[in-house]
Amino acid sequence: MADEAGLSAALLSQIENGRTDPSVTTLRKLAKVFDAELASLFHEPDAPAVHISRPGQRFRMVAPAGIVTYERVTPGRGDLEILHADLAPGDSSADVPWSHPSTECLYVLAGEVRLEVGDQVERVCAHEAVTFDSRQPHRYVNESDQTASILVVVTPPTP
């Protein structure tokens, strides 16, 4: 499995034994090996009908340095996903633009980010939002010297 995913056997062992948490990039590679949607790894079949999301109690999708770490605001029901993240200066949502079969909306709460969607590049500032077909390769980058706070809404959730 390590070879198929392009990961080290040592990393897989650490994940299996709970000694490290996989990054979103690692999870994407593993989901591909299993021919599964990444969102299925986060599905909560017993999610409550009314879900209250509180800081410090949210599921976190941790990433390596320089890549954004997301907090999931919504439960994992599989219909809608809202993620919150703070991008430090220089952080991005991915090393390179990537795509997934969803509609995505980026809402910038504070700061500004560079949005790359296909061949288009947009600067999105605080209180602005942009919605796009996320089947187009895309990513977010904080090129400023201030932290940017964002909400990302994805439906259906396929991170």
Side-chain angles (χ1 to χ4, degrees):
M1 182 168 56
D3 288 341
E4 284 185 60
L7 302 168
S8 72
L11 174 61
L12 289 180
S13 176
Q14 290 175 351
I15 293 168
E16 288 174 340
N17 293 311
R19 290 194 309 254
T20 190
D21 291 322
S23 69
V24 173
T25 302
T26 297
L27 290 172
R28 284 183 186 133
K29 290 178 180 181
L30 291 171
K32 187 174 182 179
V33 168
F34 293 114
D35 194 29
E37 292 292 331
L38 183 59
S40 69
L41 301 176
F42 304 109
H43 185 73
E44 297 175 38
D46 298 326
V50 176
H51 173 80
I52 299 175
S53 175
R54 293 191 168 95
Q57 298 176 357
R58 296 180 184 136
F59 175 78
R60 293 173 50 86
M61 291 185 276
V62 180
I67 304 293
V68 67
T69 292
Y70 291 105
E71 285 187 330
R72 189 169 68 195
V73 176
T74 50
R77 285 196 274 254
D79 55 348
L80 168 73
E81 185 163 60
I82 300 177
L83 305 168
H84 172 261
D86 291 324
L87 282 79
D91 278 0
S92 65
S93 60
D95 288 330
V96 295
W98 72 286
S99 61
H100 52 95
S102 301
T103 296
E104 193 160 325
C105 178
L106 166 70
Y107 183 87
V108 179
L109 298 165
E112 65 181 56
V113 297
R114 171 188 164 108
L115 169 65
E116 302 169 6
V117 179
D119 295 332
Q120 192 171 346
V121 175
E122 298 289 339
R123 188 180 72 133
V124 187
C125 299
H127 310 292
E128 294 179 342
V130 61
T131 303
F132 57 93
D133 181 341
S134 52
R135 289 177 294 187
Q136 298 179 74
H138 62 281
R139 74 178 186 147
Y140 315 124
V141 181
N142 182 355
E143 296 180 324
S144 76
D145 59 357
Q146 307 242 344
T147 297
S149 184
I150 63 172
L151 286 178
V152 178
V153 180
V154 182
T155 186
T158 53

